[in-house]
Amino acid sequence: MPAGVRPELFKRATAALDRHSMHVDTHDRIAIADFSLPSSQPRFFLVNMGTGEVEPLLVAHGIGSDPGHTGVLQRFSNQINSEATCEGAFLTADYYVGKHGDSQRLIGLDPTNNNALARAIVVHSAWYANPDMVSKHGKLGRSQGCFAVGERQLAKVFDRLGPGRMIYATKV
């Protein structure tokens, strides 16, 4: 069991990896987003499946998932224009440069996130996901449903995940 990842969540993530194994090219590393934790805590876990090594990072959730800006995800949505985070297994796809700079497209593999590509739910960095937001405000800012990580963390996320790997996001 990887350190820092709750066992029930890891079980669900590995079950999703098995379920989607024909779509996910590379199984050596995955990312798990534990949205039961508040945004003030590292809850985006980069997991090396071979060694069990875990790198925990901060990650923002969507405005539509936390309309009161409590710092805690209240609900998921797969609806277009919801600005909410969606849950399930995602396949990391190609890189591009968008309004948030370097970004990585995600393909939703489950009925709960199959609009991810159409909604432009991606991995990108943002100033509002930097650690200083937690020290100043006690929580991160919110994305429009994307997995936004700190500006200094994006290269590490891209390096560890790359295209063809899985991100699993839920709240248990």
Side-chain angles (χ1 to χ4, degrees):
M1 213 44 69
V5 180
R6 290 180 303 119
E8 174 63 23
L9 183 58
F10 186 70
K11 255 175 38 187
R12 286 193 189 192
T14 53
L17 187 60
D18 289 344
R19 193 168 57 249
H20 297 295
S21 63
M22 46 209 259
H23 300 292
V24 180
D25 298 335
T26 314
H27 296 207
D28 59 340
R29 288 188 295 274
I30 63 172
I32 300 173
D34 185 351
F35 285 117
S36 56
L37 296 172
S39 68
S40 59
Q41 292 182 33
R43 59 183 181 171
F44 191 70
F45 302 98
L46 301 174
V47 181
N48 182 314
M49 298 298 279
T51 64
E53 183 186 349
V54 178
E55 295 175 84
L57 305 172
L58 294 168
V59 67
H61 56 254
I63 294 166
S65 290
D66 180 14
H69 202 7
T70 63
V72 178
L73 181 140
Q74 309 293 326
R75 67 181 190 93
F76 291 105
S77 177
N78 191 31
Q79 295 300 309
I80 292 176
N81 298 324
S82 67
E83 295 192 329
T85 299
C86 46
E87 69 180 321
F90 299 83
L91 177 66
T92 58
D94 59 315
Y95 300 108
Y96 70 102
V97 178
K99 70 177 181 180
H100 297 286
D102 293 338
S103 303
Q104 184 173 27
R105 287 186 180 85
L106 298 175
I107 298 166
L109 299 174
D110 290 317
T112 52
N113 65 2
N114 59 7
N115 286 330
L117 202 56
R119 291 181 59 206
I121 302 299
V122 303
V123 177
H124 67 75
S125 67
W127 61 270
Y128 59 77
N130 287 335
D132 69 324
M133 290 298 288
V134 175
S135 49
K136 285 181 192 161
H137 304 286
K139 60 192 169 201
L140 297 181
R142 296 165 298 167
S143 69
Q144 292 177 300
C146 293
F147 294 88
V149 298
E151 292 166 307
R152 292 204 176 104
Q153 303 302 320
L154 189 66
K156 177 190 290 185
V157 173
F158 284 178
D159 181 58
R160 301 297 188 279
L161 287 180
R165 290 191 176 87
M166 188 187 80
I167 295 175
Y168 185 73
T170 198
K171 183 175 182 170
V172 289

